[in-house]
Amino acid sequence: MNRHWKHSLKPYLLILPALFLAGLFAYRPFVITLLNSLYTVSINGQRIAFVGLDNFRRLFVNESFQTSLSNTLRFTLYFVPVNVFICLSAALLSHREGKLATLNQICFFLPMAVGLSSAMMILKMIFNPFIGIVNQLLGISVEWFNNPNAAMALLVIAGVYLDIGIKFLLLHAALRNIPANLVEVATLEGANPLQLFKYLQLPLIAPTLVFVLATNIKDAMLISSPVLILTEGGPFRSTQTLVYQMYLEGFKSGNYAMGSAIATVVFFLTFLLLLALLQIERRRVYYQ
Amino acid sequence: MIILISLTTVLFAAGQREIKPDPVRTVTWWHPNSGLAGQATQAMVQAFNSTVGVEKNIRVEAVYQGKANDVLTKAKAILQSDSRRDLPDLAQLDGAAVLDIRDVDALIPMEDLALSDGYDLDAILEAARLSVTYKDKMIAMPFNSSTILLYYNKTAFDQGGIARAPRTLDELAVTAQALVQKDARGNVIRSGFANVPTTYELIAWLGQQNHLSYITDQENGHAGNPTRVLFHENGTMVNFLTKWKALYDTGALENLTSDRNGAFASGRTAMIVASTSNLTTILSMVGDRFEVGVANFPMVDEHATGGVNVGGGAIWAFDNGSGNRDAAWEFVKFASSGEQQLAWHIATGYFPIHRDTYSLPAFEEHIAKNPLFKVAIDQLMQSNPQLQGIWVPSAYQIYYAFQTGILKMLTENRSPEETSRALEAEINGYFAEYLRMQGQ
Amino acid sequence: MKSLKAILATILSLIIVFPIAYSLSASFFSWADFTAIPARLLPSQPTFENYIRAFRETNLEQFLLNSLITASLGMMLRMTISITAAYTFTFFNFKGRDILFILIVATMLLPSDTLLLANYTTIRALRLTDTYLGIISTSLLAPAHIFMLRQYFKTVSGEYREAAIIEGCSDTRFLTLLLIPISKAVVVTLAIHSFSTIFNDYLWPLLVTNKASMRTIQVGLTMLGFSENFDYGPQFAAITVLMTPVLVAFILMHKPIQESVSTRFTGR
């Protein structure tokens, strides 16, 4: 009898750590965040009074929030296509044989070896408008940190740099997985590279592309560390993103209610965007 | 088996805290001083440890925690989690930190420590002392005190035939215009003046009007929680914005928010306003590119005679249950003493807060050889000591509110009146939010 | 056509690699090299001073040590939890198995960045701030890894396990002596991924550590205080110290790295 109980208890025990962690660091905080967004919360994190959607009402008229929202959406809009384009180009252009191609490939995934902080610090220094090497080399004097458009562009550059390593590897692998005989046949039939791409490669790497798109959208909506290190939301809040504002309000100002409200908004927005992406995928992507 | 390994590693991880076998009393001091100030900090700590420290068996450990705001964030985090023993004995914080620190139980008002040691509070410069006084009690020790200065490219002045630095904003507009340099295609390669006013500059530009004007009620927060701003109703903001807009309309003003020191040092702009604490850094960044001049912070108009306020930071003491109060005070006493303040001043440009420094022969010598350092000191002596910084909640957001509001006025051509009113509404909103979070 | 591709690829790869190459070079610059006109790409007189200063004036070794410890510990714990969970979900039949599996994997939809504040209060309440455990706590659950591992384990026939059990082999032995060696490629890839995720984490360790002695290298790197006044040399030196071992590893192991990335898990 004893052994029976022990035996049937065993699987539960084995997955207990995972369940515990899921509860403690995912579900519970999620519920707390939702709750906090509906209450007034003291500086010590205690819920004081239920206010319903009042926090959200005040949040949406808050100019700083509107700026964060706009910035984050715009960043996502700029970053995702640019990143996909660059990573895909990198994968396609280096999809050849030979030592040079291998060298190219290594260069493309090398940024993965540079940690986030290192990459951001490097960018911060080389893009310094006064003595940074970028302005010097290109002979321009773009105010990377003082011009809102330039700062946003810099954020996109930072985002691409952080992501290109892994995304290149994925797309590169996807390309390689396309059966060589299919490519041969297509070329023999007289397909030019553009047609090859459009009708053969693209559909066959589509699942990977969807994955790339999905993670890019999620990463873009949630971007915070580059903002923290590079621009600190500036100039004039033009690069202040939602998660960054959440950090400012929640962590620096101790306004947990507002921070949680922002977190809730980010979560639902991202969720919706990904859902939309999945809808598109369902209709247009071919799986083997 | 796996469970055992996992458990052991978990326990190992949980137990990893900093363990230091210590026969001496270790005083931890969190600070935001990096670069040259950082080196001066190390020097001061070393001086203490090898003299008073040896005598009294105290060792000070200075920990760089990032920028002033980061030191506050860390301290706040600990205060909120109620784990006092993690608090440092001393923390160097700036004005933006006050509201969060001022009322906590764990804070030991510096005046208490000073008086129990028989320390003469009058030995500290009045303006500096008032800058950390709350409800008539000195709750911290001014340490890295600075005022705001006008830095200008003296070589450019000489080239342009400009004899002296501008005294008022009107004069600034004229001078800036004369200093603008353009290249062959008409692009500005050097602006006359670069700045977007933030809380820091506005405290002086608003406060100095009519010899003293308050920006918020409750004496700028030194007598209690501010409930509303006064800068709109007393007209100081509109007055300032009008002058500022005029300056912008000359085309000589550059709306630069980041790295103004870098812009100035690389010759991209001819004048900036910055803290006296940047003096040594700017001098080293400029090198021998051009001659640097400093002058009094420009007045808004002829009636704006209040001068400037004491800004910068102060050292705050915490009770973390370690019994180090007296040891911590010894260091504070040391750091604020005449001689140490001189060394600190020479290395950084922060001005000495202790009266004794000013009568030291070494001080006279230093000033004689480096007249630039004297300007900030003279400016402060001429200022109204009642002109104090503001102690407000959401300092970060207010900083941005000012910046963005003023920028909008300039680029979207709004009126000073409109801008002032909008700022009043936004900032009052932050105050209301804060009072609400206090349960009021 | 091929050569056009080659040219474009090379240009793009040079651009991508430039910041890395420049950092390496700049770590040997003297102060004057940074402000020289015209701008320098190579040091005029290479100097090791930056490296000396980086180590002498900061706590760099401590930061590195903290990162290595947290990343290794985190990786071990994470892999243990993930493998155990995946194993259990694959080979055991128990009530609520599928629901619980979905529960765990569904946490992928809750991005931890939106939960930062709440998690922070939790860690604070548990008094785990400034501890290694606190730093790795939020990275211990890897729903994606559990999912991938289960997918992989499913390809191993249940009959093997039944046979092993009958022979008297315990679950533990089956797991460690049979299953993991078979799944070596996946396990190693996920282990490396775990290590680097925790190693590269920035925002969470920033929130959770106050003591300088507990800082990880990612946080520490941004707090060295050098880049405030054009003092870029030591900053680049610190970055280079951190980058180089990984760069070298990546270059030498480029083949296995490229091959380990399989698109099996993203849909092909």
Side-chain angles (χ1 to χ4, degrees), chain B residues 156-169:
Chain B
F157 268 43
D158 295 337
Q159 282 169 357
I162 304 170
R164 61 171 181 79
R167 273 177 52 250
T168 63
L169 285 184

Side-chain angles (χ1 to χ4, degrees), chain B residues 57-135:
Chain B
N57 222 14
I58 307 173
R59 201 180 72 91
V60 173
E61 190 186 296
V63 182
Y64 174 68
Q65 288 285 15
K67 297 199 262 218
N69 201 268
D70 295 321
V71 183
L72 171 65
T73 308
K74 304 283 181 196
K76 245 173 50 172
I78 297 180
L79 286 166
Q80 282 167 21
S81 66
D82 254 339
S83 54
R84 278 204 195 179
R85 63 202 167 109
D86 290 333
L87 282 173
D89 297 293
L90 299 169
Q92 183 186 332
L93 301 162
D94 64 7
V98 177
L99 242 78
D100 293 313
I101 300 293
R102 182 187 74 188
D103 298 318
V104 298
D105 293 331
L107 179 72
I108 311 175
M110 207 51 85
E111 188 166 308
D112 294 344
L113 288 176
L115 291 180
S116 66
D117 192 34
Y119 189 86
D120 178 18
L121 290 178
D122 278 327
I124 302 173
L125 287 184
E126 188 180 1
R129 188 168 54 81
L130 287 179
S131 75
V132 284
T133 298
Y134 180 62
K135 293 191 177 167

Side-chain angles (χ1 to χ4, degrees), chain B residues 16-17 64-65 74 77 81, chain C residues 120 132 209-210 215 223:
Chain B
Q16 273 309 322
R17 290 178 190 263
Y64 174 68
Q65 288 285 15
K74 304 283 181 196
S81 66
Chain C
Y120 173 70
Y132 290 132
T209 55
N210 296 316
R215 261 180 221 146
M223 282 184 151

Side-chain angles (χ1 to χ4, degrees), chain A residues 14 40-45 48 54-55 58 62-64 124 128-131 141 143-146 148 231-237 240 244 247-258, chain B residues 3 67 69-70 72-74 76-77 79-81 100 196 254-264 266 268 289 394 396-398 400-401 403-404 407-408 426 430 433-434 436-439:
Chain A
L14 286 178
T40 306
V41 184
S42 80
I43 227 167
N44 289 321
I48 300 181
D54 197 44
N55 287 334
R58 274 183 302 123
N62 179 303
E63 248 192 88
S64 184
K124 193 170 188 179
N128 180 293
F130 313 117
I131 65 166
S141 61
E143 298 268 356
W144 293 103
F145 296 99
N146 201 57
T231 62
E232 291 181 57
F236 310 115
R237 288 184 180 149
Q240 179 178 286
Y244 182 68
Y247 166 76
L248 285 181
E249 294 285 348
F251 197 71
K252 288 207 167 235
S253 298
N255 193 340
Y256 286 104
M258 183 166 277
Chain B
I3 301 179
K67 297 199 262 218
N69 201 268
D70 295 321
L72 171 65
T73 308
K74 304 283 181 196
K76 245 173 50 172
L79 286 166
Q80 282 167 21
S81 66
D100 293 313
V196 181
E254 191 178 342
N255 288 325
L256 194 60
T257 52
S258 64
D259 205 10
R260 288 196 287 261
N261 292 351
F264 178 71
S266 60
R268 162 108 196 132
R289 263 189 279 233
S394 300
Y396 218 52
Q397 277 90 323
I398 293 178
Y400 272 120
Q403 224 183 38
T404 321
L407 186 73
K408 276 209 178 123
E426 187 175 353
Y430 290 126
E433 187 92 25
Y434 179 73
R436 187 205 323 259
M437 281 195 326
Q438 305 297 101

Side-chain angles (χ1 to χ4, degrees), chain C residues 2-215:
Chain C
K2 267 249 148 76
S3 47
L4 181 61
K5 263 174 116 177
I7 295 175
L8 287 174
T10 312
I11 295 179
L12 188 59
S13 50
L14 281 176
I15 295 178
I16 300 287
V17 139
F18 175 72
I20 300 177
Y22 181 73
S23 307
L24 252 65
S25 173
S27 64
F28 295 105
F29 277 17
S30 59
W31 191 86
D33 283 332
F34 283 110
T35 51
I37 297 172
R40 304 198 61 97
L41 286 178
L42 291 171
S44 52
Q45 266 180 326
T47 165
F48 271 104
E49 163 121 21
N50 294 326
Y51 287 90
I52 298 176
R53 284 186 59 206
F55 277 99
R56 195 180 46 191
E57 292 177 21
T58 68
N59 232 347
L60 215 56
E61 322 88 65
Q62 181 71 48
F63 298 158
L64 259 168
L65 190 65
N66 290 335
S67 278
L68 287 173
I69 294 180
T70 52
S72 320
L73 245 121
M75 172 190 79
M76 284 193 285
L77 281 176
R78 190 191 219 195
M79 292 310 292
T80 310
I81 296 176
S82 303
I83 293 177
T84 317
Y87 176 69
T88 314
F89 281 119
T90 312
F91 294 110
F92 283 76
N93 233 320
F94 51 97
K95 208 161 92 152
R97 181 185 70 174
D98 290 331
I99 299 178
L100 289 175
F101 180 69
I102 292 181
L103 259 181
I104 290 182
V105 175
T107 59
M108 271 202 284
L109 292 173
L110 299 173
S112 63
D113 273 358
T114 55
L115 306 172
L116 276 175
L117 292 180
N119 280 334
Y120 173 70
T121 14
T122 308
I123 293 292
R124 223 175 58 191
L126 291 174
R127 302 193 166 267
L128 285 178
T129 48
D130 281 317
T131 60
Y132 290 132
L133 187 58
I135 295 175
I136 62 179
S137 55
T138 50
S139 313
L140 290 180
L141 180 69
H145 290 193
I146 296 180
F147 181 77
M148 286 190 223
L149 282 167
R150 178 168 175 268
Q151 296 291 85
Y152 195 85
F153 287 169
K154 277 208 300 195
T155 65
V156 174
S157 168
E159 288 171 2
Y160 279 128
R161 180 168 171 272
E162 277 169 33
I165 299 269
I166 293 176
E167 299 277 338
C169 177
S170 76
D171 276 310
T172 324
R173 289 184 73 201
F174 177 73
L175 188 59
T176 51
L177 298 178
L178 225 83
L179 198 54
I180 292 182
I182 295 180
S183 332
K184 203 159 59 166
V186 182
V187 170
V188 167
T189 309
L190 292 180
I192 295 179
H193 187 251
S194 299
F195 185 88
S196 69
T197 308
I198 302 177
F199 193 78
N200 279 332
D201 205 3
Y202 179 72
L203 193 50
W204 176 250
L206 176 68
L207 294 185
V208 153
T209 55
N210 296 316
K211 299 211 180 87
S213 54
M214 290 303 292
R215 261 180 221 146

